[in-house]
Amino acid sequence: SAKLETLARKDVEEYYKDCQRRRRKSLALRAKEKRQHMEWKQRKAQKDVEERAHTSYLNSLDAQHMALAKEQERARIAMDALRSAGCQLKGNPFGDLLSGF
């Protein structure tokens, strides 16, 4: 009877230890998953920041290009107006180049 009780107590202790080991493994697994998720989230946030910076850079290039195109169009219109008014650009050293506009 005492021997059976000792064996039963050992079985309970083993079961208790086994439960603790499983719980510890489960906690470790959840902690690992949480770390991986946080790393993924940080990588995604960094990628989003880089994408926004690149898009912003491209938008600024577009704006510069549009401003330059508008300026060239205004210069062309001004040159056409001067030509139609009979003005000659003989004194301008770049007159030959500007005539291509």
Side-chain angles (χ1 to χ4, degrees), residues 4-5 33 37 50 56 72 90 95:
L4 281 176
E5 241 181 80
E33 287 174 345
H37 181 70
E50 289 170 2
S56 177
Q72 287 175 341
K90 290 182 182 178

Side-chain angles (χ1 to χ4, degrees), residues 64-77:
Q64 289 174 1
H65 179 71
M66 288 172 43
L68 181 61
K70 285 180 183 178
E71 186 177 324
Q72 287 175 341
E73 180 65 17
R74 284 194 300 266
R76 187 188 62 75
I77 291 170

Side-chain angles (χ1 to χ4, degrees), residues 31-47:
K32 180 182 175 184
E33 287 174 345
K34 185 175 181 178
R35 275 193 311 274
Q36 288 174 341
H37 181 70
M38 290 300 295
E39 290 169 1
W40 171 84
K41 205 172 178 181
Q42 287 174 343
R43 283 192 308 270
K44 184 180 181 313
Q46 181 63 30
K47 184 179 176 184

Side-chain angles (χ1 to χ4, degrees), residues 12-26:
V12 168
E13 288 172 2
E14 281 300 314
Y15 176 75
Y16 180 73
K17 286 179 185 177
D18 187 46
C19 288
Q20 284 181 329
R21 277 191 297 266
R22 275 194 246 151
R23 182 173 177 195
R24 200 168 39 244
K25 285 181 184 178
S26 175

